[in-house]
């Protein structure tokens, strides 16, 4: 479904990309645990990775089905890609959070249990929206006036910093190498006491996005006393998704679900 009834902000037909869409996966369709549809459940909005140049399919629907099987709703976001840069992708995810919260009663979603999950560059987008949010905009439609603060964030081998340990292609795509934006969109530098809880995982030998991205984010959260789980697995290449073929890292879905459940999801 399209997130805006009108043309999305900053939409440029010259970029030959469709308008932003959200693909909703109701928990009740796939989960025996959610058979009682009278009971609302939390929802996880998923941002696949791809360096802001593509959206990796294996980091989208598979994640959604995993959350469904645990009794959670899920939604996969087709956020805008390069040559769009900041703030278009962030506007897309912020709108998606507002959109799900706006439709919470209709979709049987708990409005105070909406998480965001991203992998790699999608993790950068999720991290950015976890540290940059508002309680509703005074202008715009009814949806724009709803808070876009997520209630939790899941960062999977995320590009969390745009500093020395970043993935340069991701950094350049979203900031166009603007120094002010590099600072603003380095999530570990923007953490506050009001940043939502996070679940973070990475592999120690990730050759594309250094593990320091996870470590720096954890240190920043710790400094501000923001609750979070951090899991560093010894081995695994970048972009392993659900990591089903990688002993150790394959534990992340169960650990993530356990953490979300501890937050009331």
């Amino acid at each position: 479904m399209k997130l805006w009834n009108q043309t999305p902000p900053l939409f440029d037909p010259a970029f030959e990309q469709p308008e932003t869409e959200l693909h909703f996966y109701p928990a009740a369709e796939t989960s025996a645990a959610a058979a009682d549809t009278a009971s609302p459940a939390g929802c996880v909005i998923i941002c696949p990775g791809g360096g802001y140049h593509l959206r990796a399919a294996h980091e989208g629907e598979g994640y959604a089905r995993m959350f469904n099987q645990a009794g959670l709703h899920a939604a996969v976001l087709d956020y805008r890609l390069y040559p769009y840069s900041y703030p278009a992708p962030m506007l897309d995810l912020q709108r998606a959070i507002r959109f799900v919260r706006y439709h919470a009663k209709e979709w049987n979603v708990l409005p105070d249990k909406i998480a965001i999950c991203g992998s790699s560059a999608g993790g950068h987008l999720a991290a950015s929206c976890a540290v940059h949010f508002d309680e509703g905009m005074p202008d715009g439609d009814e949806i724009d006036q709803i808070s876009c603060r997520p209630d939790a964030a899941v960062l999977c081998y995320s590009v969390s910093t745009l500093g020395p340990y970043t993935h340069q292609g991701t950094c350049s795509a979203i900031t166009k190498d603007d120094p002010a934006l590099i600072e603003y969109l380095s999530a570990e530098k923007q953490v506050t006491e009001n940043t939502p809880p996070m679940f973070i995982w990475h592999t120690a030998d990730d050759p594309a996005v250094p593990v320091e991205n996870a470590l720096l984010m954890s240190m920043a959260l710790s400094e501000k006393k923001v609750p979070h789980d951090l899991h560093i697995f010894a081995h695994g290449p970048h972009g392993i998704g659900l990591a089903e073929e990688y002993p150790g890292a394959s534990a992340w879905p169960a650990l993530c679900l356990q953490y979300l459940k501890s937050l009331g999801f």
Side-chain angles (χ1 to χ4, degrees), residues 15 17 50-55 79-85 89 169-170 172-176:
F15 292 165
Q17 294 183 37
Y52 286 113
H53 285 269
L54 56 88
R55 292 181 296 271
Y79 59 90
R80 281 174 279 186
L81 303 171
Y82 188 84
Y84 285 107
S85 59
T170 297
S172 295
I174 194 63
T175 68
K176 296 187 175 177

Side-chain angles (χ1 to χ4, degrees), residues 191-224:
V191 172
T192 71
E193 291 81 359
N194 197 32
T195 298
M198 292 192 189
F199 178 91
I200 304 169
W201 75 273
H202 219 105
T203 57
D205 57 358
D206 187 321
V209 178
V211 69
E212 282 83 356
N213 281 263
L215 299 175
L216 288 170
M217 196 69 198
S218 177
M219 290 172 62
L221 293 168
S222 181
E223 181 180 348
K224 297 297 183 180

Side-chain angles (χ1 to χ4, degrees), residues 223-238:
E223 181 180 348
K224 297 297 183 180
K225 303 188 185 309
V226 177
H228 65 286
D229 256 21
L230 172 66
H231 297 272
I232 306 298
F233 302 104
H235 302 298
H238 187 69

Side-chain angles (χ1 to χ4, degrees), residues 73-152:
H73 302 294
V76 178
L77 178 64
D78 290 346
Y79 59 90
R80 281 174 279 186
L81 303 171
Y82 188 84
Y84 285 107
S85 59
Y86 174 84
M90 183 183 289
L91 292 175
D92 292 344
L93 181 51
Q94 290 176 334
R95 177 73 175 191
I97 297 167
R98 302 185 209 272
F99 194 83
V100 173
R101 195 162 272 146
Y102 178 81
H103 290 285
K105 185 175 182 180
E106 174 188 352
W107 295 349
N108 216 26
V109 170
L110 292 167
D112 61 346
K113 294 292 180 286
I114 297 173
I116 52 179
C117 171
S119 301
S120 193
H124 177 262
L125 180 55
S128 297
C129 286
V131 297
H132 297 298
F133 52 81
D134 60 64
E135 295 302 324
M137 299 188 296
D139 301 324
D141 60 17
E142 291 180 318
I143 297 174
D144 284 333
Q145 296 172 32
I146 294 173
S147 170
C148 66
R149 181 186 184 274
D151 300 299

Side-chain angles (χ1 to χ4, degrees), residues 167-184:
H167 179 263
Q168 192 55 52
T170 297
C171 177
S172 295
I174 194 63
T175 68
K176 296 187 175 177
D177 299 318
D178 181 324
L181 280 181
I182 289 172
E183 178 78 11
Y184 183 72

